[in-house]
Every structure is written in structure tokens, then in C-alpha cells.
Amino acid sequence: MPLIDQIPPSWQPALAGERAKPYLAQLESFLAEERAKHTVFPPEAEVFSALSLTPYEQVRALIVGQDPYHDDGQAHGLAFSVRRGVKVPPSLVNMYKELESDLGLPKPSHGNLEAWAAQGVLLLNTSLTVRAHAPASHKGRGWEQLTDAVIRALNARPQRVVFVLWGGHAQKKRPLIDGPQHVMLESAHPSPLSARNGFFGSRPFSAINRALEEVGLAPIDWRLEAQ
């Protein structure tokens, strides 16, 4: 099935303009070659999990990630998230520390963020695949053009979206977001390399909910333990 047709139905109209662009055919060819020669994460069926779990009209917040996790069993199509039973990665550990500090919620025992996605938190990496054990190996191959189109499509919506840009990579997406109805939250990345330089203490989870409630939208229930 062509890559564009694998995009979940709710996103198809918003991304229809990408269908005929040459980069998609080039990306598709590249991915076929990569999968023939190497292990690629996440599994093919989960490449568009973020868009599948968070339909276009239901997005309330977008958290921008970079690359899928590149070690075995980690990536399942959502930025920052891992399956239950997989060790919680360091950036997500720091997100949980900030969640506890911000909202008083206990640190979850797992790293699966599907409960956030189901409430309208789009957890979108800018590249949607990676070669196993080779970080950034699919960077610059076309994914960024497609995920930029996702961001532009959300910017075009009349309903408020809270765009969460952590770190320099995500903040490069700032020019794509100019709708006055939207809110942008920026801070350092939760990575152990940068979290102490402005991520800790930024209180993003309560800030997202305040921005939603200001325009009459329901807040996100950030609890994960019971879900």
C-alpha cells in the first residue's frame, strides 16, 4: 500500500496536498530498501500510531519529538512513549519528575503514553522511522516534510491547539505555527543533557491545561497509573 494511503482516515483530507509531492515516493523507496536490508523501528504497522490514536479533529495538544527510539522493543509510534514492560527511557523519566512536581501525580511504573494520545495529545516525532541502533539514520529522507505538513494542518484549525516545543530541534518548527488562536509552550528538552537548563520547573502539564480551559476545552487527565 502506498505510504500516503497508510495515513489514518481522519488525517487524509488534511494531508491530501502531500499526495503528489515527489518526496513521498522517494521516502517510500528509501523505506523499502531500508526494511529489506536492516531492522527498522517502529514496526511497519505502527509507523502512524500517533496519527491513528489521535485523530485530526481531536488534537488538543501537540508534543514534538525527534527520532523514534532505536533500541529493540522501544519504539511503537508515539514520541517519548514505550510499551508497558519496557524500561522507561531517561527523557520520559524526567517528564515524569516534572509531572510529579507540577501536578503532584505519582511517577507511573510504565512508559506507555497511549492514555494521553487517546485524550488528544498528539505525540509526534519529526522522523517516523529509524534504523535499529542507528540514531537519526532516517533524518532528512522526507519524513520532516510530512510531519511539517501535519503541524501546518493543525495550525490551520480554528480550534486552539497547544504546541509544545521542547529543545532546539522542536523549536525550529516555530515558523509553522502562526494562528493567533493557538498557544506555544517552549522550554529545554527533558533529556538528561538539558533538563536542568529549563525543563525542570517549566510546569508544562498545568500550562497545557490552563491554555485549554481558557477557551472552554476540557483539560487533559495526565494520570497514567490507573489507565
Side-chain angles (χ1 to χ4, degrees):
M1 184 190 296
L3 196 62
I4 192 74
D5 292 332
Q6 295 173 36
I7 292 171
S10 81
W11 287 90
Q12 287 279 350
L15 300 176
E18 304 304 296
R19 180 174 289 275
K21 294 185 178 176
Y23 80 85
L24 264 183
Q26 293 162 8
L27 173 60
E28 197 167 346
S29 176
F30 167 75
L31 289 173
E33 189 175 333
E34 282 285 285
R35 291 194 186 276
K37 295 179 179 176
H38 307 281
T39 299
V40 172
F41 297 136
E44 196 165 3
E46 296 178 324
V47 168
F48 291 111
S49 286
L51 301 183
S52 180
L53 288 168
T54 312
Y56 175 66
E57 293 295 343
Q58 294 177 24
V59 177
R60 287 188 276 166
L62 167 66
I63 297 178
V64 177
Q66 187 164 354
D67 224 22
Y69 295 122
H70 58 267
D71 283 338
D72 296 328
Q74 289 184 303
H76 68 128
L78 301 180
F80 297 104
S81 179
V82 293
R83 296 184 182 286
R84 288 175 185 263
V86 176
K87 183 180 178 182
V88 179
S91 290
L92 186 53
V93 168
N94 286 338
M95 288 165 62
Y96 285 171
K97 287 178 181 175
E98 184 62 17
L99 184 63
E100 185 175 35
S101 170
D102 186 1
L103 296 176
L105 298 178
K107 292 190 190 84
S109 60
H110 64 86
N112 190 311
L113 304 181
E114 289 178 353
W116 293 357
Q119 295 180 74
V121 181
L122 180 61
L123 298 160
L124 185 73
N125 282 316
T126 54
S127 291
L128 298 189
T129 56
V130 68
R131 187 189 300 177
H133 319 301
S137 49
H138 289 185
K139 182 180 177 183
R141 293 292 187 161
W143 278 128
E144 293 88 350
Q145 286 166 265
L146 184 61
T147 52
D148 280 0
V150 169
I151 296 172
R152 283 195 300 268
L154 292 173
N155 180 63
R157 275 184 40 192
Q159 186 181 56
R160 171 167 291 181
V161 175
V162 185
F163 292 88
V164 183
L165 308 178
W166 287 334
H169 176 82
Q171 287 158 16
K172 288 177 183 173
K173 306 303 178 185
R174 197 185 294 122
L176 304 175
I177 305 156
D178 60 7
Q181 70 275 34
H182 302 309
V183 169
M184 248 189 297
L185 301 177
E186 300 182 62
S187 77
H189 194 277
S191 157
L193 297 173
S194 56
R196 297 190 183 282
N197 297 325
F199 176 75
F200 289 138
S202 63
R203 304 194 67 185
F205 305 101
S206 60
I208 290 168
N209 281 353
R210 272 198 310 277
L212 293 172
E213 290 176 312
E214 276 175 7
V215 292
L217 296 172
I220 307 297
D221 180 355
W222 296 105
R223 293 172 299 174
L224 289 168
E225 208 51 77
Q227 298 184 39

